[in-house]
Amino acid sequence: MSSESVEVRKNATLDRFELFVDGYLAGVAAYQDTANERAFVHTEVYPQFEGLGYGRKLVQGALDQTRDDGFGILPLCPMVHHFVESRPEYLALVPQWSRERLGLPQR
């Protein structure tokens, strides 16, 4: 069992969520806010941290904080889209009007 420290922090100055692993910046999820939604436009995990499940932790942390901030989500980037598509509890955060346009389940 690993004892690493994993933290997702919102960096409002740069309009992104940042993933830190043991204090090192491991990835980012960039967003753009509208009045009611937060559009995720680009997500990446840096090469040395790929393939270790950090992408899921980054997206989940970003979406949880977005929900807590009172925003709906627009999963425009492929990583966030895939995450939302396979998790009904996060799909509920996507406004109904955008689901068909984004190729997401309607319910």
Side-chain angles (χ1 to χ4, degrees):
M1 190 85 168
S2 174
S3 63
E4 69 195 3
S5 164
V6 178
E7 182 182 7
V8 176
R9 297 183 207 150
K10 181 178 171 186
N11 183 333
T13 302
L14 296 177
D15 291 333
R16 69 185 195 181
F17 288 90
E18 299 171 335
L19 173 72
F20 289 89
V21 177
D22 291 334
Y24 294 97
L25 183 61
V28 297
Y31 64 84
Q32 296 173 349
D33 285 347
T34 68
N36 301 307
E37 289 90 29
R38 179 165 289 151
F40 285 88
V41 296
H42 177 72
T43 305
E44 74 177 287
V45 173
Y46 299 141
Q48 63 270 39
F49 297 98
E50 287 180 347
L52 301 171
Y54 293 123
R56 182 186 57 75
K57 291 178 182 184
L58 171 58
V59 171
Q60 183 173 353
L63 297 184
D64 287 347
Q65 289 184 48
T66 295
R67 179 187 56 229
D68 293 347
D69 288 344
F71 284 92
I73 59 170
L74 298 174
L76 303 181
C77 84
M79 190 182 297
V80 176
H81 188 279
H82 176 73
F83 184 92
V84 167
E85 188 173 43
S86 59
R87 292 169 177 84
E89 66 273 25
Y90 291 98
L91 180 61
L93 298 173
V94 179
Q96 190 67 42
W97 64 264
S98 70
R99 292 183 192 174
E100 183 177 357
R101 293 178 193 169
L102 296 172
L104 290 167
Q106 297 301 301
R107 47 185 175 112

